[in-house]
Amino acid sequence: MQSGFGCLVFNAGRTDAVLQDRHFDRCGVRGDRAGAEAGQRQDRGAGDGPGDRGRTVGASARFEVLRVLRNALNRAMREELVTRNVALLVDMPKVAKDRDTAWNAREAIAFLRSVRAHRLYAACVLVLVLGLRRSEVLGLRWQDIDFEAGHCTPVKQVQRVKGVGLVLKDLKTESSQAVLPLPEFCARVLEERRELQELERKIAGEHWAQAPDQDLIFSSEHGGMIDPVGFSRTFDRLVKRAGVRRITVRLARHTCGTLLAFLKVHPKVAQAILRHSQISMTMDVYTHVVGDSEREAVGMLAELLEDPLIG
């Protein structure tokens, strides 16, 4: 971390010149390569080759390069390594929103009703209601859940490491390990999940294999870790079976705000779950979730909440 950051700061003195280069303009970053390579080409005097002409970098790539550069230089300013963030002189490019959008409430609840009897139903609920990433959901342990206080604290994630296999790793950032309020609906499905896991443990008997320090909530039928890629494939199959619009797990996470409003979660609690800096951002979500096409979702949700079936 320090070595890479040090390299960036080492070249910070040249950033003014780089930003004046033809590869940077008021619309963003252009050229064969973005970011630091623009400065390297300038140093080599090799920015005018025929291979560079006529090429452009997409708006999303330029946006990401500038975002990373701005954040790095902001940190350099805090550490008094540079005096200003010259990356702020460049306008962020406008990035068109993805054509795919998250589910509305009707679609999300229809999906949950369809997968109600699946063993990973609770995992789907946490993805949709808490907005957790698949690796975070699969890394949740029972010790991370405080049912009495009504909150959960994700601190681990499941990842596949080349040459090693599935490993349980710490989450990378402190913000990822924030304490999240646990809505009653989520607590209820987790209690059901615990009952189901105990049943699976008894069925597996001596074949149950889970390290004592793992205590994973979402394990395989024999106690092992679940591959995140495998979870995505399962999710895709469940979506297809439910007959709803097909979206990815990553996109499904963004249904979170809509479902929190339909579950009538208090806005302050939803603000913490959505990690909004201002309550006005949360209220904007809450006041725009119900449309004519979604009103039927209210009745669907009521049926789902009253269903006692163990997932």
Side-chain angles (χ1 to χ4, degrees), residues 41 58 76 132 200 209 289:
R41 288 201 310 274
L132 296 179
E200 291 178 337
V289 295

Side-chain angles (χ1 to χ4, degrees), residues 109-171:
I109 296 170
F111 169 74
L112 290 179
R113 289 182 66 189
S114 173
V115 303
R116 185 68 178 90
H118 194 274
R119 63 183 303 273
L120 293 180
Y121 167 69
C124 295
V125 169
L126 296 188
V127 168
L128 291 173
V129 179
L130 294 185
L132 296 179
R133 298 176 178 85
R134 64 181 186 181
S135 59
E136 294 173 336
V137 169
L138 299 177
L140 275 177
R141 304 163 301 169
W142 289 112
Q143 65 198 68
D144 301 329
I145 309 296
D146 189 332
F147 288 100
E148 292 186 5
H151 62 66
C152 69
T153 310
V155 295
K156 298 287 185 180
Q157 61 181 329
V158 173
Q159 289 188 347
R160 179 172 290 280
V161 177
K162 187 175 182 180
V164 178
L166 295 177
V167 296
L168 195 61
K169 303 176 63 176
D170 292 336
L171 290 176

Side-chain angles (χ1 to χ4, degrees), residues 54-226:
R55 288 188 180 183
T56 58
V57 176
S60 59
R62 286 184 278 131
F63 182 94
E64 189 64 19
V65 168
L66 281 173
R67 184 187 68 80
V68 172
L69 184 57
R70 284 183 174 187
N71 289 342
L73 290 178
N74 277 337
R75 177 178 168 185
M77 287 179 61
R78 289 195 300 269
E79 297 185 10
E80 300 183 351
L81 296 173
V82 295
T83 57
R84 64 171 180 158
N85 187 345
V86 291
L88 296 175
L89 298 175
V90 182
D91 291 337
M92 295 294 282
K94 294 182 178 180
V95 180
K97 294 184 177 179
D98 294 338
R99 289 179 296 176
D100 295 332
T101 57
W103 283 327
N104 57 34
R106 182 187 60 79
E107 292 172 313
I109 296 170
F111 169 74
L112 290 179
R113 289 182 66 189
S114 173
V115 303
R116 185 68 178 90
H118 194 274
R119 63 183 303 273
L120 293 180
Y121 167 69
C124 295
V125 169
L126 296 188
V127 168
L128 291 173
V129 179
L130 294 185
L132 296 179
R133 298 176 178 85
R134 64 181 186 181
S135 59
E136 294 173 336
V137 169
L138 299 177
L140 275 177
R141 304 163 301 169
W142 289 112
Q143 65 198 68
D144 301 329
I145 309 296
D146 189 332
F147 288 100
E148 292 186 5
H151 62 66
C152 69
T153 310
V155 295
K156 298 287 185 180
Q157 61 181 329
V158 173
Q159 289 188 347
R160 179 172 290 280
V161 177
K162 187 175 182 180
V164 178
L166 295 177
V167 296
L168 195 61
K169 303 176 63 176
D170 292 336
L171 290 176
K172 296 179 180 179
T173 62
E174 292 183 3
S175 60
S176 298
Q177 300 180 15
V179 176
L180 298 177
L182 192 67
E184 182 181 352
F185 179 46
C186 296
R188 188 184 309 176
V189 299
L190 284 174
E191 291 281 12
E192 293 176 354
R193 171 60 194 163
R194 183 154 56 182
E195 293 180 27
L196 176 61
Q197 190 178 57
E198 285 301 317
L199 179 60
E200 291 178 337
R201 189 194 303 267
K202 291 178 181 179
I203 294 174
E206 61 182 13
H207 299 293
W208 184 264
Q210 186 176 112
D213 61 332
Q214 289 183 355
D215 197 25
L216 294 172
I217 296 176
F218 301 106
S219 56
S220 69
E221 293 178 344
H222 292 90
M225 287 180 278
I226 296 177

